[in-house]
Amino acid sequence: MFDPPDLVFEFSTLLYAKRPIDLSGEAQQFSQDPTNFLSRFKSSKRISSLNRSFFSGLCFLLATMTCVAQSNVVTYQYDNSRTGQNTNETTLTHSNVNMNQFGKLFSLPVDGQVYAQPLYVPGVAISGKGTHNVLIVATENDSVYAFDADLSASPLWQVSLVDTAHGGNAGCPPQQVCETALNTSTTIGCSDLQPSIGITSTPVIDSSSGTIYVEAKSVDGPNYFHRLHALDIATGNEKSPGPVQIKATVNGTGDGSTPPPNSQLVFDSNNMALHQLNRPGLLLMNGTIFLGFASHCDSFPYHGWLFAYDAATFTQKGVFVTTPNGGLGGFWMSGAGPAGDANGNIYAATGNGTFSQGAPLELGDSILKLNFNGILSLADYFTPFNQNGLNSGDTDVGSGGVLLLPDQPGNHPHLLLEAGKEGRIYLIDRDKLTANPSNPSQELPFCSGCSSDPQIVQESGSGQVGGMLSMPAYWNNTTYWWGSYDVLKSIPLSTGRLDFTHITHSTEFYNFPGATPSISANGTSNGIVWSIDSSQYGSPGPGPGPAVLHAHDATNVSRELWNSTQAANNRDRAGNAVKFSVPRIANGKVYIGTSIEVDVYGLLNLTEAATPAISPAPGTYTNSVTVTITDTTANATITYTTDGSTPVPGSHGTAISSGGSFTLTSSATVQAIASASGFSNSSIASASYTVFITPSTAILLIQRGTFSRQPTSGGTVTLTLPQATGAGHSLIVGVSFWPLDITSVTDGSGDTFARGLGTSAYHNVNRSATYTNFYYAKSTAGGTTSLTLNFSGGSTYLLVAVAEVAGLDPAAPLDQSGFQESLTATAAWSSAAVTTTAANEYLFSWAASEAGSVTCSSPASGWTIESQTNPATVCLLDRVVSATGSYQASVTPSTAQNYAMEIVTFK
């Protein structure tokens, strides 16, 4: 197995044979978290002991090794900062993650639920079996597997952590099994993990020594055990000094303590060990293993315990308890591991429990910074202002994991992110978690009597994201969140702050428990957000049913690239879902743990579809040109664009069958790609056309109107226009609605209305699903005042803007459209900016808000407010332009409100 840290040591010894410098400690740190290591090492005083030529060589070597070492995936969410990003993924791209090219390759059966995130190490030499890329899988049946990560085959090895070779079954008669994973129905009586509780946390691997560190829980009748194991990655054998039973005794009068006068909390094989659960992933940092504990189903008594063990000797180096004189306050974080920074600090969040600033501190519902310098101690903490309400409502802060951001610009370069069940996001300075606003030199860990937390860098409102039983991911200066009962949200960072005014979101919605996203990317390109909808996880929730893997474009999360339900005949169906499961992306494959197997997804071995043929030949045409696209692949679907952008089947572009055609009335570059079942996508065909159009007649606004309606039944609502329509005119209808989609629009003259957006634009305010779309009829018959909007039964709110316009192209009037929104109260409303393609165009825009009694004024230069209506608010603006260019509508509302605003242009 290639061992980068050993190579560092050999390199230093080779250059300095007469006075070698021992870098073995740094080597192990580098193997666990290269980014943090390089940052710390380059600023270290140890550089003074190296001459310039050696350090230059070392930096070059480390830069080279980073590409190799980071292909290892040895800890929860890829690194100790828990960023959730694999930026060395060169195989999976926006263009090949689609239904035709990407799918389920095979499954790897296992003997229990897989709650732990699988780990991946390439190039491992397995005795007698050659060298393999190895996938490490741990199950709730206390089993650990090593699979070839690229093959559907039997395990390279499988071990049970309750057998005698791994420290279990002590004193058990021969040929009998006395020690097992816990049976949930007969021990704890908790159905959250069933039928067994064994290995729940994500292990960690020291790739420099080839050691897997894993915590396992077991029972032999009256006794309950938590053991820390050290497994050889090549064999699964227990390595010295493992295993060690996790035990500790601390002073305290809290829940489950021994009787006074010398009350203590005892973590051993009795009742305390039964109730405690190692849910967070393990953290390996600077040669020390950190393990956090909470409970099963809030089953009492329990506390938040954090243990520190020397990785080389398994000597217990420290113990920290969050509520020594109280109760609860567990470390669980929905499986997220404690985070560690370049200075050796540990960060974790606690669940609901006792909070007190007396001596000793009781730290339920808090974000903690701990330090380890031979002993494990609290360095700093932050507790939200509403801790009492969070505790009484079981609204844990610590249901979410802590993410350490890369260095940011501004006064707070070292930041962390966290959100809990309340959906309130906390952005905190890691160097000093809190600062008293009235005296910044003083800390203010808890703002008693406050209605917010002004002592931290930034705090969102409650429900900014759905309740987090997960953690965010980070990539390319953007954070990604998928809370319970919510959509995927991307929130960018700007000058060291979260930019809540530019949130984007998916249309896909997850129920409980949401998801922890993982990002694959090739540096800053081809970012893909991977997530698992595990809402069908079974008792006590819905299901059981399959996990559903989703892939979204990380640069535009409203664009879903693929999901495992798209292909016919359940081709990509996964095993039944496991709550809190997180996908693992490595070397062109995606691995997800389920209740019975690990499912492996990747690129399918397919023949490429034929490249489409575009006719007529590229060139210059007068007035218009009809373009036809054909393909020789049977049953191919052709996806094309006319703006020069890359078409992506199923997500970007217009889909037609072979032989389909369309008319260009302005200059355009047509790009086309073919897709077909059983084939990979074709190469892209391209053709550019220059079209000269005779100027159209004058564009005139005939009539306009705005309407606010809430029908109670019937599935239709009919509006009366101010006057009868004229023949040959265009009728434009902009509509915002919730919660039911408008399926069609008709009028009294039988005109055909085209739907502007295939999928309505989604606007999520206070978890209320609001949508925006538009319809238009070209060259109408005229003579009607009746306009009917149809929807699918039930009741829906409607905000409608209507315009009748003369002088538009009777064949293809629609040119551009754009949508912009704000989920928070905003004092200035504006649409997206769009660029027109024809000299003479009519620009139609409307702003909609759920707020009532709001009026619009002060439109952008050149725009006219034609009509507006309350209650709820819809404002219609328009203008006629005589030159191509970029245009944007805007108005000022009488009070700041959330809004959605669409702009549509017609030529």
Side-chain angles (χ1 to χ4, degrees):
M1 180 174 62
F2 176 68
D3 198 333
D6 286 346
L7 190 56
V8 176
F9 180 74
E10 291 166 10
F11 184 72
S12 66
T13 305
L14 179 64
L15 288 182
Y16 283 82
K18 293 184 179 180
R19 54 182 186 92
I21 299 168
D22 183 7
L23 297 179
S24 57
E26 282 85 346
Q28 185 187 65
Q29 297 164 25
F30 175 80
S31 72
Q32 293 303 313
D33 202 335
T35 303
N36 275 341
F37 168 77
L38 290 172
S39 173
R40 182 173 69 256
F41 190 74
K42 285 189 288 186
S43 63
S44 169
K45 293 181 180 179
R46 294 194 65 182
I47 292 177
S48 63
S49 68
L50 307 174
N51 69 23
R52 183 175 301 172
S53 63
F54 170 68
F55 186 67
S56 298
L58 178 60
C59 286
F60 171 79
L61 181 62
L62 291 181
T64 303
M65 285 160 42
T66 299
C67 297
V68 177
Q70 286 189 342
S71 64
N72 292 345
V73 184
V74 295
T75 191
Y76 182 85
Q77 283 297 73
Y78 300 97
D79 51 48
N80 286 351
S81 296
R82 312 307 186 192
T83 61
Q85 59 174 341
N86 174 4
T87 57
N88 291 309
E89 178 50 61
T90 59
T91 301
L92 302 177
T93 68
H94 293 166
S95 62
N96 62 27
V97 176
N98 57 67
M99 184 178 67
N100 291 318
Q101 293 175 270
F102 181 88
K104 183 175 175 180
L105 302 178
F106 54 88
S107 297
L108 301 171
V110 293
D111 65 2
Q113 292 182 310
V114 182
Y115 270 74
Q117 196 176 17
L119 302 175
Y120 175 91
V121 180
V124 179
I126 305 294
S127 179
K129 297 183 179 181
T131 300
H132 300 261
N133 297 331
V134 169
L135 188 75
I136 299 299
V137 179
T139 77
E140 292 293 347
N141 200 41
D142 278 330
S143 293
V144 178
Y145 295 78
F147 291 101
D148 187 303
D150 305 310
L151 298 175
S152 176
S154 299
L156 298 169
W157 54 256
Q158 175 191 357
V159 295
S160 170
L161 299 192
V162 293
D163 63 19
T164 54
H166 293 85
N169 279 324
C172 187
Q175 310 305 318
Q176 293 189 29
V177 177
C178 301
E179 189 171 334
T180 64
L182 275 69
N183 182 299
T184 55
S185 63
T186 59
T187 54
I188 200 72
C190 169
S191 58
D192 271 359
L193 289 167
Q194 58 175 307
S196 300
I197 302 172
I199 303 169
T200 308
S201 59
T202 299
V204 65
I205 299 174
D206 178 6
S207 56
S208 66
S209 65
T211 305
I212 308 166
Y213 296 104
V214 56
E215 191 274 353
K217 184 172 185 176
S218 57
V219 60
D220 70 355
N223 300 306
Y224 301 92
F225 303 98
H226 292 273
R227 293 190 183 95
L228 176 61
H229 296 264
L231 307 182
D232 188 330
I233 194 171
T235 63
N237 294 338
E238 194 82 39
K239 297 177 70 173
S240 177
V244 62
Q245 185 178 347
I246 298 171
K247 297 180 179 182
T249 300
V250 299
N251 293 328
T253 60
D255 294 349
S257 61
T258 60
N262 299 312
S263 296
Q264 294 179 316
L265 301 177
V266 181
F267 190 117
D268 58 12
S269 56
N270 63 11
N271 196 45
M272 186 73 74
L274 165 62
H275 292 91
Q276 300 286 166
L277 175 68
N278 172 222
R279 185 66 190 91
L282 275 58
L283 170 65
L284 175 59
M285 184 169 61
N286 299 335
T288 303
I289 305 164
F290 300 91
L291 305 94
F293 286 80
S295 82
H296 309 272
C297 293
D298 278 340
S299 181
F300 312 121
Y302 76 91
H303 303 265
W305 294 76
L306 187 68
F307 293 87
Y309 282 88
D310 186 290
T313 66
F314 272 14
T315 302
Q316 189 179 98
K317 306 294 288 187
V319 179
F320 179 83
V321 179
T322 59
T323 53
N325 287 353
L328 290 70
F331 295 111
W332 73 287
M333 299 186 289
S334 298
D341 68 13
N343 296 315
N345 298 303
I346 304 107
Y347 302 85
T350 63
N352 62 296
T354 307
F355 174 70
S356 170
Q357 292 185 290
L361 288 169
E362 307 288 325
L363 295 169
D365 289 307
S366 299
I367 297 173
L368 309 185
K369 175 181 179 179
L370 298 107
N371 184 265
F372 181 73
N373 287 317
I375 60 172
L376 187 59
S377 60
L378 181 71
D380 203 352
Y381 72 97
F382 159 71
T383 306
F385 73 95
N386 56 343
Q387 188 278 333
N388 185 56
L390 297 177
N391 179 43
S392 61
D394 190 25
T395 314
D396 304 28
V397 169
S399 64
V402 177
L403 187 154
L404 308 187
L405 291 171
D407 286 0
Q408 297 293 307
N411 296 328
H412 304 280
H414 306 132
L415 294 166
L416 68 80
L417 279 172
E418 201 275 345
K421 290 181 183 177
E422 191 186 14
R424 186 189 300 269
I425 300 174
Y426 307 103
L427 181 67
I428 299 175
D429 189 326
R430 303 199 309 264
D431 297 328
K432 185 178 181 182
L433 299 192
T434 63
N436 191 328
S438 60
N439 186 355
S441 64
Q442 293 182 347
E443 297 177 348
L444 185 64
F446 173 65
C447 194
S448 178
C450 295
S451 59
S452 63
D453 292 299
Q455 74 274 36
I456 64 174
V457 174
Q458 190 180 18
E459 178 181 66
S460 78
S462 174
Q464 181 67 65
V465 292
M468 290 292 287
L469 291 98
S470 55
M471 69 172 295
Y474 168 90
W475 176 72
N476 221 17
N477 215 38
T478 303
T479 62
Y480 300 86
W481 311 73
W482 206 323
S484 298
Y485 304 105
D486 203 358
V487 292
L488 169 64
K489 294 177 179 175
S490 66
I491 307 177
L493 287 156
S494 177
T495 62
R497 299 290 189 278
L498 291 167
D499 183 359
F500 292 119
T501 64
H502 291 92
I503 296 175
T504 59
H505 51 74
S506 68
T507 56
E508 291 74 31
F509 179 93
Y510 286 179
N511 292 313
F512 178 88
T516 291
S518 286
I519 312 295
S520 68
N522 185 5
T524 59
S525 66
N526 278 305
I528 299 175
V529 184
W530 300 90
S531 64
I532 299 172
D533 180 355
S534 62
S535 57
Q536 296 295 312
Y537 58 87
S539 178
V548 181
L549 178 63
H550 290 255
H552 288 82
D553 182 345
T555 64
N556 176 16
V557 297
S558 66
R559 176 184 166 203
E560 185 180 42
L561 303 174
W562 171 91
N563 73 65
S564 59
T565 68
Q566 291 174 338
N569 303 317
N570 294 322
R571 183 194 74 184
D572 299 333
R573 179 169 177 157
N576 284 347
V578 168
K579 189 165 51 174
F580 311 129
S581 182
V582 183
R584 175 69 79 198
I585 305 94
N587 196 30
K589 294 184 176 64
V590 182
Y591 305 90
I592 68 170
T594 72
S595 62
I596 58 171
E597 63 197 29
V598 172
D599 292 303
V600 184
Y601 294 83
L603 297 182
L604 305 171
N605 185 18
L606 301 172
T607 301
E608 183 176 303
T611 302
I614 304 174
S615 63
T620 300
Y621 295 83
T622 301
N623 290 327
S624 65
V625 56
T626 298
V627 177
T628 302
I629 309 178
T630 58
D631 196 88
T632 59
T633 303
N635 302 314
T637 297
I638 299 169
T639 304
Y640 72 89
T641 61
T642 57
D643 59 0
S645 63
T646 301
V648 179
S651 60
H652 181 61
T654 301
I656 58 174
S657 299
S658 178
S661 61
F662 53 92
T663 300
L664 294 176
T665 56
S666 59
S667 299
T669 296
V670 177
Q671 297 215 76
I673 188 171
S675 58
S677 179
F679 294 82
S680 62
N681 291 348
S682 73
S683 299
I684 294 174
S686 181
S688 295
Y689 300 93
T690 301
V691 180
F692 290 103
I693 302 294
T694 303
S696 62
T697 58
I699 297 174
L700 299 175
L701 175 64
I702 306 302
Q703 63 172 319
R704 71 281 186 190
T706 50
F707 308 87
S708 177
R709 294 288 189 272
Q710 182 193 3
T712 57
S713 63
T716 65
V717 61
T718 299
L719 307 176
T720 301
L721 302 177
Q723 65 189 50
T725 56
H729 297 170
S730 296
L731 200 55
I732 304 165
V733 182
V735 59
S736 296
F737 49 90
W738 67 97
L740 301 177
D741 195 356
I742 303 303
T743 56
S744 64
V745 174
T746 57
D747 66 12
S749 298
D751 294 307
T752 299
F753 283 77
R755 181 180 172 101
L757 302 176
T759 301
S760 298
Y762 178 86
H763 177 62
N764 183 21
V765 179
N766 298 325
R767 301 182 184 176
S768 175
T770 307
Y771 301 85
T772 293
N773 211 324
F774 64 96
Y775 288 79
Y776 64 98
K778 56 193 178 185
S779 191
T780 60
T784 183
T785 59
S786 172
L787 188 68
T788 300
L789 283 68
N790 305 292
F791 54 96
S792 301
S795 176
T796 193
Y797 290 83
L798 294 171
L799 295 173
V800 188
V802 181
E804 180 186 355
V805 184
L808 298 182
D809 184 344
L814 178 63
D815 185 17
Q816 305 291 324
S817 68
F819 174 81
Q820 185 156 288
E821 65 173 356
S822 174
L823 303 181
T824 58
T826 304
W829 297 353
S830 60
S831 72
V834 296
T835 301
T836 58
T837 63
N840 300 304
E841 292 206 18
Y842 172 71
L843 278 55
F844 173 89
S845 179
W846 74 100
S849 177
E850 300 172 19
S853 303
V854 177
T855 58
C856 302
S857 61
S858 304
S861 177
W863 290 83
T864 300
I865 298 176
E866 299 288 1
S867 180
Q868 53 184 302
T869 298
N870 301 104
T873 300
V874 56
C875 307
L876 167 60
L877 302 81
D878 66 4
R879 66 181 296 188
V880 176
V881 297
S882 57
T884 59
S886 177
Y887 296 96
Q888 184 176 31
S890 67
V891 293
T892 300
S894 55
T895 60
Q897 301 290 344
N898 67 78
Y899 76 97
M901 194 165 183
E902 180 77 20
I903 182 173
V904 190
T905 76
F906 295 87
K907 57 183 187 280

